Amino acid sequence: MSELVPGGNLALPGGAVTVRVPGPFDVSALITDDSGKVGGDGDFVFYNQPAAPGSVLRGDTLTVDPARLRTGATRVTVAVSPAEPGTALGRLPSPTLHVTDADGRPLTRFTPPRPRQETVLLLAELYRRGDRWKLRALGQGYADGLAGVARDFGVDVADDTTPSGPGATAGAPGARPGPLDGGARRAAFAPAAGPARVPAARHGTATGPAGRAAHSPGPPAYVPSAPDPDGFVALVNSARAEAGSRAAALDARLASAAREHAAAMAMTGRLGVESRDGVSVYQRVTGAGYAYLTIGEHLVSGPRSPAEFVAYCLRTDTARRTLLDPAFTHTGLAHVQDGPSGDTYWTALWAGPFTPDGLRATASAVTDLTNRERARAGLPPLAVDPLLTTAAQAHSADMVARAFYSHTAPDGSRPWDRASEAGSTRRSIGENIACGQRSPADVVEGWMNSPGHRANILKPGFTHIGVGFAGGGRAGTYWTQLFGA
């Protein structure tokens, strides 16, 4: 493995490459053409806009597949910023970029000179020369945060904490700390790291509650069964019983979604929550007719049988927690062999079905946690407003249905428009959104760690709240808080 110095170059092999920056940092990427400008806001991959065509961010790891980048993209610039807002990079260990190929083999490493007062560092860029892709080490610092970097690359950065409508404030679309115009962020993406080589397997997993639209139909009175010729469910339920979790039933809809996703991964020879066709595993679940409140998945290559698959999950901490999670009542498993490589790609899905009572309980938990934060600040609690709840739920469902993530819907409607359409006559409206969080506690904690969202939660003038969330889409879960006074 080589060590790069600033300005050093490395020719990349064909296929996807992974860049990882361990430590107290957030990783982001900007996808540009030869002009050095993004084609739109969707070319900025960061904390809670964690995916774009050909680029997926999982925690501290960014996977880039140059062949899948949008048309015209010729460069991917990788940046790091402190995970704790307001921290200068000079107060942290020097970030080190680790680059591996699609099979997890190390390619190179780069540690730039130690930064000082900079708050963002451009570490490296992947760029196209002719029909080949290369990596260049950079080490260029910025002192004005991600907003400055984003603007230089042509991203339209708006300060969402500024009121823009009659008596209205829309919280910045973010949910973790870290400056993007005064700390504004979109929601943090929660799943564990994606493809990474581990003994006998590559593994990616995620688990926890996800939302579903209030108008979505509940599950049928029956659970469509799936065949279990290899005894998978018996192996799983034996382990769950030992841990005190109730048995999980095989569900034909989850099995169908798992089969589609395993086949898509085998076709391209790579693991991922989103396959090359741009469809996420969550979209496959809802497309198969399973409306969920909780969702989890294991994406693995390596095991040769269900018994080996379950054994691997049980000896891996994160995967074990998913397999044993008492919130999951249904499961589905599928495996498909990749002809060229001979690898077997596995997808196991775990879910708890949507119910109206479950949705109300999840929304209530978000409200209770929000009011707990207000109580700590000496503020009165927010009362639940059914009209704001209707508008919030509709927005979460709309973000899933029309595949967008924004305070402004594709038809141009803003939070106060949606509140008015639901029948609300409140004069002041505020909104927080997030995607990818897996529990009410996670999403409220994320909002409280973002200045724009925290300001909405702790605004003394707000008196009422509505909460909505929906399951599906690229991120798996979409949350909305709508405030009113």
Side-chain angles (χ1 to χ4, degrees), residues 387-388 390-392 394-396 398-399 404 406-424 429 431 433 480 482:
L387 299 179
L388 294 180
T390 297
H395 189 55
S396 287
D398 193 28
M399 287 191 287
F404 73 97
S406 175
H407 294 294
T408 303
D411 59 10
S413 62
R414 305 291 298 271
W416 39 93
D417 301 319
R418 294 187 288 271
S420 177
E421 186 178 349
S424 175
I429 295 292
E431 183 179 81
I433 59 174
T480 302
L482 201 59

Side-chain angles (χ1 to χ4, degrees), residues 70 202 414:
R70 65 165 175 82
R202 286 176 293 175
R414 305 291 298 271

